[in-house]
Structures are given as structure tokens and as C-alpha cells.
Amino acid sequence: MPESITITDNRNGETYEIPIVNGGVSAIEWSKILPGIWFVDPAFMSTAAAESAITYLDGTAGILRYRGYPIEQLAEQSTYLEVAYLLLNGELPSENQFASWREDVTMHTFIHENVRKRFLDGFHYDAHPMGMLVSAVAALSTFYLDAKDIFDPTSRQKQITRLIAKMPTLAAAAHRFSVGMPFVYPDNSLDFPSNFLSMMWKVAEPTYHADPVLSRALDILFILHADHEQNCSTTAMRVVGSSHADPYSACAAACAALYGPRHGGANEAVIRMLGEIGSMDEVPAFVEAVKAGHGRLQGFGHRVYKSYDPRAKIIKRTADEVFSITGKNPLLDIALKLEEIALNDEYFISRRLYPNVDFYSGLIYQAMGFPLEMFPVLFAIPRTAGWLAHWQEMLDQDSKIARPRQLFIGADARDYVPMAGRGASS
Ligand code: CMC
């Protein structure tokens, strides 16, 4: 029997049956019954704003899958570039498809000289690299005028390839500028993560050889951050994309959403918190202070996950591998102690607060030498694949422009008062 709910309009006693489809009830059906009455859900806490086939997330069971593939298997066996293909196309690539995708991405890693020389070099000397990235991604739309042809399959694919390929170049350029180092051109003989590390760290050597363990660790972090269904930045991408803006402009909006500390900035907050705690002896007192309402345990809790974030489990393993090369991040012991105490404390157990992806990712980035300001930038590089997959899916669904309603709570109609008649205090 098809699932449905029946509701009664108490104003006239009429009943209506509304089907439950894919775990949701259509607000359109409701609004037929309640014309002029809107659903109030400011942060979309109970609203599915899209039908999507990209990422499955079960926060209670701690499950995350891209296109049906468990995140654990992808992190273990795949690469970021393959995962990007999977997210964008729905299937894992064949050998030929992957070779051609990798070639395409590799051939688009360079940015126009004017983006760097005239645009990026124009920033103030201490510009935040994430602010530079947001602006640079938006500026790309002025270099690729064909990006406006969003329903032309060839043009759309070209912009997707460009964005995936150029994000690491822009990200590294923003970092180099912010520390006064010369720009490093992409080295197309290197794989995706190694090329990024080369653009970040190369000094005078002809070829920068990244440690393969660090390169692989970064690739795993890219896989884990590639998509997370309808998060804040992906929603920004969909909303701006729904106006049929070009993908660079929509992607810049997504980057801007990721800039905020509630989204892409939480791992930075973790590092600052661990630094403030200072030593393992101080951990119990810090936990007590959090329980007493003095701040939050950064890197703990999640709107959707009410069990251990599956990405955090994978990251914890990756951290060990990275520390075997870089030496242990001195903050790790504090983090482990904090996790141990919190996971055994009734306050955190009863609220189902577990470590999230950000609890350990910052420790890894810091051990690899990335400054704190680069953390959201490192998030934006792989999330571009997810943003573009959602953007494409939305356009293919012939979606309408995003345009929510409001409940007006302002002044009733009143007559304009000329300035002379307003009195001194108004
Ligand atoms: N430390 C201490 N208490 C917490 C924490 C925390 N990190 N998170 C939630 N709580 C408590 C909160 O005080 C509340 O308690 P009470 O019921 O007594 O008032 C209860 O748990 C529910 O909290 P909430 O604020 O209603 O939960 P939310 O779903 O709105 O917030 C969150 C989710 C991620 C914003 C929040 O857990 C938080 O602020 N965490 C710390 C920041 C963080 O790590 N953010 C990264 C999230 S993962 C990034 C990503 O996936 O993109």
C-alpha cells in the first residue's frame, strides 16, 4: 500500500490525503489545501529543497555514500579525480574514460596570466587567501564568456573541467601571494594532489617531489570533502545556479558560504581551541567549562550526524600516516585526551555529540605545513566537484528559480511623512 498521511482542515472539517514519496511530502500538495499560508522553516531544518541522486547520508547510522559507494571504500581505493568523475557522471569511469578525464583536467590547470598578474597581484599584501579565492573564482567568469551557455553540453563540460583543474592553481597562488612567495606554475607531469603540493611548496628545485604518503593523505582528505549533500555551500551553489548564472559566479557564491566559521572554518577553530587548552592536564577543566556553558567543544557535534562521523574515523587513521612522516603534531595528545573524556561523559553521550570531520583534519593540515588561513581553501578545492555535480543535476531537473516566501512582520501601511514633519528624535 502506498504510504500517505491524511490531514484535516479544522476550519471546515475537510480531509486530504497526501502521498509520502521518497520519504517526503510535497509542500505543493499542502499549499493547495492551505492557500496563502506558508511553511516556516528558516534554516531548512525540516525541508528537502531538492531531489538528489548524488550523496546518501544517514546521520543516525553514520553512513556516507557517493553515488552508492561507501566513503570508506572510496577513501581506501579511489583517488579524488576518480571520485570527482563519479560525482559528476554517476558512475565510476572505465580505464579510457578516466585517462581522458585526467588528461582534460591536467591540460586545464593553468590560469590566464592576467588572472594572476593583474587580478591576484592587485590584492592588499595581507589579503586572506580564502577572500582571494572567492573573488578569483568569480573573476574567471569574465575570462570564459562561453560559460553563459549553461545548456550547451560542450560548454558546460568545459567549465566543469576548468573549475576542477584551476581550483588548486588559484588556491596555491592565493597562498603564495599572502606569504610573498613567487607564483609556481602547474607541473602537468604530476598527479592532482602532488601538483598542488608543488605549487604550494616549490622553491628553486626543478621539480618538486612531494612525499607520496603526504600526497596520498591529501588525496584522501580531498575524497572525504568532495561532497556532503545539501550543506550550506552546496545550497548556495544551487540557489545562485537556479537563476541560470554561469557556474563561476555560482561557485564563487558557494566558496563565500564555505568561508564562514560555521562551515569551512571549524577545523581552524579546533586548532585554536587545542592551543588554548595548552596541555593534557588542562583537558578535564576545559571539558567542565564547556559543560557549564562556556563555549563549545570545537570539532564535536553535527547537524546531521548523531553518531561518529564516518569521515572522522578515516581521518584519524590518515593522521597517523601523516605524523609518521612529519612528526607528531604536539596538539594530537590533547585532542586524543579530549575525545576520550568527551566520549565517556554523560553530557556528550546524552546529546549524541561525537567528533566530526574537522576534529582531526586541522591537525593533519597543520602538520603538513599549511597555515590556518588555508584550511577553508583546502576544503574548497575538492568540494568544487560536489558543487558542480549538484549544479548540473539541478539544471537537468529543469528546476525553478529558488524563491522562498516570507512571513511579513513589519509595519502596516502608513503615509510618507516629509522630513520637516518627523520631529527631532526620529
Ligand atoms: N560542544 C558542546 N556542546 C554542544 C556542541 C559542542 N560542540 N554541539 C552541540 N552542543 C550542545 C548544545 O549546547 C545543545 O545543548 P542543549 O540541548 O543543552 O542546549 C545540544 O548540544 C544541541 O546543539 P545544537 O546547537 O542545537 O545543535 P546544531 O545541530 O544546531 O549544531 C553544530 C550543530 C555543528 C553547529 C554544533 O554541534 C557545533 O557548534 N559544533 C562545534 C562546531 C563544529 O565542529 N562545526 C563543524 C561541523 S562539521 C562541518 C561540516 O560537515 O561541514
Side-chain angles (χ1 to χ4, degrees):
M1 195 176 111
E3 289 191 313
S4 66
I5 54 157
T6 301
I7 54 169
T8 306
D9 186 340
N10 289 331
R11 294 170 301 181
N12 51 26
E14 285 188 38
T15 60
Y16 304 87
E17 189 179 349
I18 303 183
I20 300 174
V21 182
N22 294 332
V25 287
S26 161
I28 304 284
E29 294 302 314
W30 280 86
S31 56
K32 283 182 196 157
I33 303 163
L34 302 166
I37 295 180
W38 307 117
F39 296 91
V40 188
D41 188 11
F44 305 128
M45 303 225 337
S46 319
T47 299
E51 280 187 330
S52 181
I54 300 169
T55 287
Y56 176 77
L57 178 50
D58 180 337
T60 312
I63 294 173
L64 175 61
R65 297 183 200 129
Y66 296 160
R67 300 283 189 184
Y69 296 100
I71 192 68
E72 294 80 3
Q73 291 182 21
L74 293 170
E76 182 83 28
Q77 300 175 54
S78 187
T79 61
Y80 166 66
L81 263 197
E82 186 180 58
V83 163
Y85 183 100
L86 171 70
L87 290 168
L88 287 158
N89 299 288
E91 298 297 334
L92 288 167
S94 68
E95 207 172 333
N96 285 345
Q97 286 168 327
F98 184 67
S100 136
W101 166 239
R102 191 180 47 203
E103 171 78 2
D104 278 353
V105 170
T106 306
M107 289 305 135
H108 284 87
T109 49
F110 276 67
I111 50 176
H112 194 291
E113 273 299 276
N114 282 350
V115 175
R116 181 181 70 83
K117 281 196 179 143
R118 290 173 193 259
F119 189 75
L120 291 179
D121 280 1
F123 277 95
H124 199 50
Y125 72 94
D126 60 351
H128 193 291
M130 190 63 175
M132 291 178 72
L133 186 74
V134 171
S135 321
V137 171
L140 287 186
S141 77
T142 65
F143 287 82
Y144 306 113
L145 299 179
D146 58 331
K148 295 196 184 317
D149 301 332
I150 56 173
F151 290 106
D152 176 75
T154 314
S155 167
R156 198 193 280 183
Q157 185 55 40
K158 208 187 271 178
Q159 317 315 327
I160 287 174
T161 308
R162 282 175 174 149
L163 269 162
I164 301 272
K166 292 180 200 310
M167 283 303 263
T169 316
L170 291 174
H175 165 71
R176 303 286 291 205
F177 178 84
S178 68
V179 292
M181 294 283 284
F183 175 69
V184 175
Y185 286 94
D187 180 341
N188 288 347
S189 68
L190 300 173
D191 63 35
F192 192 87
S194 306
N195 184 31
F196 174 59
L197 291 174
S198 161
M199 291 187 287
M200 283 292 298
W201 310 129
K202 187 172 161 177
V203 184
E205 59 276 53
T207 301
Y208 179 85
H209 295 287
D211 188 297
V213 173
L214 301 186
S215 207
R216 176 64 191 152
L218 189 64
D219 213 34
I220 291 173
L221 286 159
F222 283 174
I223 292 171
L224 300 182
H225 286 89
D227 194 44
H228 212 225
E229 50 122 294
Q230 310 301 322
N231 55 89
C232 179
S233 56
T234 302
T235 301
M237 181 88 190
R238 280 187 175 258
V239 168
V240 175
S242 80
S243 77
H244 290 179
D246 68 82
Y248 301 100
S249 302
C251 213
C255 279
L258 192 64
Y259 199 171
R262 280 172 157 184
H263 190 9
N267 48 8
E268 177 179 341
V270 171
I271 298 295
R272 293 194 194 282
M273 172 188 75
L274 295 174
E276 270 167 37
I277 295 173
S279 79
M280 282 169 67
D281 297 344
E282 297 297 325
V283 172
F286 182 82
V287 171
E288 286 310 313
V290 168
K291 286 161 60 179
H294 303 296
R296 289 196 164 193
L297 201 46
Q298 298 301 330
F300 259 70
H302 198 275
R303 171 62 61 76
V304 183
Y305 291 118
K306 299 302 168 197
S307 64
Y308 213 102
D309 181 338
R311 301 169 299 173
K313 277 189 199 152
I314 300 166
I315 282 193
K316 217 173 154 182
R317 275 202 309 276
T318 309
D320 290 336
E321 285 157 22
V322 168
F323 297 156
S324 72
I325 303 296
T326 62
K328 199 169 73 178
N329 188 322
L331 298 175
L332 176 69
D333 288 335
I334 300 175
L336 289 170
K337 184 83 186 159
L338 202 52
E339 179 183 346
E340 184 196 315
I341 292 183
L343 290 182
N344 289 297
D345 189 298
E346 186 49 31
Y347 175 96
F348 296 92
I349 295 169
S350 63
R351 289 169 179 77
R352 296 194 290 168
L353 300 169
Y354 294 86
N356 60 49
V357 68
D358 290 317
F359 194 63
Y360 289 104
S361 65
L363 289 173
I364 300 181
Y365 291 144
Q366 198 181 40
M368 288 174 78
F370 292 103
L372 295 190
E373 295 72 33
M374 279 298 282
F375 289 7
V377 176
L378 289 164
F379 196 155
I381 294 172
R383 186 53 62 88
T384 303
W387 292 333
L388 290 166
H390 284 272
W391 171 72
Q392 195 172 233
E393 181 180 65
M394 178 207 60
L395 292 178
D396 289 344
Q397 287 171 341
D398 196 20
S399 64
K400 292 195 179 302
I401 187 167
R403 204 306 185 182
R405 298 290 185 145
Q406 64 168 15
L407 302 186
F408 181 69
I409 56 167
D412 210 347
R414 47 188 172 161
D415 289 325
Y416 180 80
V417 181
M419 204 174 283
R422 289 177 209 164
S425 59
S426 61

